[in-house]
Amino acid sequence: MAILPKIDRIMVLFVLLAFAACKQQTQTVAAKTDVKITVKTAPVFRGEITDTIFIFGELALRQEAWLSSQFDGRLTEFSMLRGDNVKKGDRVGVIIPAGREALLQTADSISDEYKPLLAQQENSISLICPISGMVLQVIQHTGDVVSKGGHIAQIGDLSTLDVQGELPVQFLEMARKAKELKVEFTNFSNSPLFLPIETFTGEVSANQSLIVRLKLDNSSFTYRPGMRVRISFPAPAHADAILAPRQALVEEEGEYFLFTVANGKVQKQKVDVGIMKDDIVEIISGVEESQQVAVEKAYSLKDNMEVITR
């Protein structure tokens, strides 16, 4: 028997090892190919589903007024600050007309017998608060010269506020039929409010919407104008609709699919969807009642893939 040279024996050993490795790899790949995904399924069913319409808005003053001067003059005895609470009829300042101020500046040069006559000339005018509420802005301060009709301070009544939302006209009748609208604050931790509709504005805007107004009792002064809110109300229910679990739905480039499961295989079905709410979705077309659909690992499935169901 011929003895192979040492180098040839090494080559033979290398070839045998490579063959064994390839065989093992082939067996491993074959074993992996035989592995099937286990998926959970659920039936498509009939039921009722209701859509919810959402719009956005904010809180606004229901009653506000500007404290203004009725005459040209100088503002005195005025100490309003932002956040102060004031009452209607309060005397909050004095306007000294320009003519009286000029006379007062010459008072020292007038003899005592004529000073009583000076007091009768161009009396100072009291500045009276027009409404009860909170001071929101202060434009002028004591000592400032003011003009007739010029704004001095803004006052708003915070005890009752408006909730105003922009409502597309297509939802007008739906909103009318709702007894109450749900109001949730977007950046304020508070329980939702359920408020009746006060009114709709009479004019439709260029983007085909109008303003819906709700009355909010704010006697506790919890809320402030400018707070953002989300307003919602239910649309008419769709009775006897075809429904599927929401987690079964797969979206690809704006289109929707379900994977139906039968005889151990999945079929990728394009579907048209309607209302999506919570954990269910309305299926307009594409599948039928009682068909089983994969409700997990949906994005890992491919058409005609073999699976194990549970």
Side-chain angles (χ1 to χ4, degrees):
M1 181 177 179
I3 299 176
L4 294 172
K6 184 176 180 181
I7 188 167
D8 290 338
R9 280 182 290 171
I10 294 174
M11 290 296 295
V12 170
L13 180 60
F14 176 78
V15 170
L16 290 174
L17 289 173
F19 176 76
C22 289
K23 184 177 180 181
Q24 183 178 2
Q25 185 176 6
T26 301
Q27 290 174 344
T28 303
V29 171
K32 288 183 178 178
T33 303
D34 293 337
V35 174
K36 297 179 182 179
I37 294 178
T38 300
V39 297
K40 182 180 179 181
T41 64
V44 175
F45 61 98
R46 286 190 179 272
E48 181 177 285
I49 188 169
T50 303
D51 200 2
T52 301
I53 308 301
F54 293 97
I55 62 174
F56 291 88
E58 65 179 23
L59 302 191
L61 289 170
R62 193 177 183 86
Q63 183 181 17
E64 63 177 317
W66 283 96
L67 181 67
S68 303
S69 174
Q70 299 299 312
F71 305 90
D72 295 334
R74 187 175 298 278
L75 178 63
T76 63
E77 301 180 37
F78 181 77
S79 59
M80 272 189 179
L81 296 174
R82 289 180 62 184
D84 286 351
N85 290 309
V86 293
K87 292 182 179 180
K88 181 179 181 178
D90 283 353
R91 181 177 179 270
V92 294
V94 173
I95 302 295
I96 301 177
R100 179 173 180 80
E101 185 175 30
L103 289 173
L104 290 175
Q105 290 175 353
T106 61
D108 292 341
S109 61
I110 298 176
S111 62
D112 291 342
E113 62 180 304
Y114 292 113
K115 284 184 179 180
L117 296 176
L118 175 63
Q120 301 174 18
Q121 304 299 313
E122 295 196 65
N123 292 332
S124 298
I125 300 99
S126 295
L127 196 60
I128 305 301
C129 186
I131 63 170
S132 297
M134 179 179 288
V135 179
L136 304 179
Q137 291 187 66
V138 176
I139 309 299
Q140 304 285 357
H141 300 84
T142 194
D144 288 348
V145 174
V146 296
S147 58
K148 180 179 180 180
H151 291 330
I152 296 173
Q154 182 190 19
I155 302 167
D157 180 5
L158 300 186
S159 62
T160 305
L161 298 176
D162 265 349
V163 180
Q164 299 182 1
E166 190 173 3
L167 178 71
V169 292
Q170 68 197 76
F171 301 131
L172 178 58
E173 287 308 312
M174 295 181 193
R176 286 185 189 277
K177 292 177 181 178
K179 293 183 179 180
E180 294 180 321
L181 304 190
K182 184 178 180 180
V183 178
E184 300 170 282
F185 291 84
T186 59
N187 294 302
F188 182 66
S189 179
N190 198 66
S191 299
L193 305 174
F194 294 88
L195 304 175
I197 295 174
E198 176 97 337
T199 187
F200 299 95
T201 55
E203 184 178 359
V204 175
S205 66
N207 64 350
Q208 292 299 292
S209 63
L210 46 76
I211 301 299
V212 57
R213 291 177 53 215
L214 316 175
K215 182 179 179 181
L216 173 59
D217 178 11
N218 191 36
S219 53
S220 62
F221 299 102
T222 302
Y223 311 107
R224 291 291 186 272
M227 283 184 170
R228 296 288 296 170
V229 295
R230 184 176 72 165
I231 304 169
S232 60
F233 54 92
H238 290 189
D240 200 33
I242 297 290
L243 306 174
R246 183 78 173 265
Q247 63 265 37
L249 197 64
V250 174
E251 182 181 2
E252 295 179 0
E253 297 181 354
E255 295 185 328
Y256 293 97
F257 301 87
L258 293 175
F259 284 95
T260 60
V261 183
N263 301 320
K265 280 190 175 183
V266 297
Q267 297 292 326
K268 187 176 183 180
Q269 300 288 133
K270 184 178 182 300
V271 294
D272 295 318
V273 302
I275 298 170
M276 297 185 188
K277 186 175 183 182
D278 299 330
D279 57 351
I280 58 173
V281 57
E282 179 185 19
I283 306 299
I284 305 300
S285 65
V287 293
E288 298 179 355
E289 182 182 4
S290 299
Q291 282 189 280
Q292 294 287 325
V293 293
V295 295
E296 64 179 15
K297 304 176 184 175
Y299 280 92
S300 299
L301 300 177
K302 296 185 181 300
D303 197 23
N304 292 317
M305 179 183 286
E306 292 186 355
V307 295
I308 298 173
T309 60
R310 64 181 180 88

